[in-house]
Amino acid sequence: QVQLVESGGGLVQAGGSLRLSCAASGRTFSSNDVGWFRQAPGKEREFVAAISWSGGSTYYADSVKGRFTISRDNAKNTVYLQMNSLKPEDTAVYYCACRPPYYSGSYYYPSEYNYWGQGTQVTVSS
């Protein structure tokens, strides 16, 4: 069993930056791909970014490509999401999630992830 805890959310002005962290406990998740998703009020949860278990592959939604960077430090059992040039439309609750070890399904769908954190609020003011 893996427990995921997100942190780093907050209120920021448009154009600003935040770095989200996703810390795992219970067991190491160095064999698990990890994804970040977000959900705005009244909208479905959507894919933001994902990183393979080794860190060798990363994937981004078109809406954040070039502005967000996902990375991981397996020694610290933590995955990060660096968010730059934030826009009001980035406002949402951000969730991290991980998949079973060495899983080969799509990175883009919430249903492909089996452990989720509680989420952290990101609010970008205009």
Side-chain angles (χ1 to χ4, degrees):
Q1 187 98 6
V2 176
Q3 291 82 44
L4 303 176
V5 178
E6 303 96 336
S7 62
L11 173 64
V12 64
Q13 288 188 330
S17 299
L18 284 173
R19 187 175 81 154
L20 305 184
S21 298
C22 173
S25 62
R27 63 168 178 81
T28 178
F29 71 171
S30 58
S31 302
N32 304 77
D33 303 329
V34 175
W36 283 96
F37 291 78
R38 66 187 182 187
Q39 188 165 18
K43 295 189 176 181
E44 292 189 354
R45 192 166 298 190
E46 65 173 2
F47 172 78
V48 175
I51 187 165
S52 63
W53 63 271
S54 67
S57 298
T58 56
Y59 307 84
Y60 297 94
D62 288 344
S63 59
V64 307
K65 205 170 291 184
R67 300 188 297 122
F68 290 12
T69 303
I70 190 170
S71 61
R72 69 189 301 161
D73 184 339
N74 284 341
K76 295 183 177 180
N77 237 18
T78 302
V79 170
Y80 304 97
L81 185 68
Q82 177 67 44
M83 307 187 295
N84 298 329
S85 302
L86 282 161
K87 305 175 180 180
E89 51 263 44
D90 294 318
T91 295
V93 177
Y94 283 70
Y95 300 89
C96 69
C98 71
R99 308 166 359 137
Y102 310 115
Y103 188 73
S104 60
S106 169
Y107 286 91
Y108 300 102
Y109 302 107
S111 59
E112 302 288 342
Y113 295 78
N114 58 337
Y115 292 110
W116 290 83
Q118 82 292 346
T120 185
Q121 176 71 46
V122 171
T123 302
V124 184
S125 63
S126 58

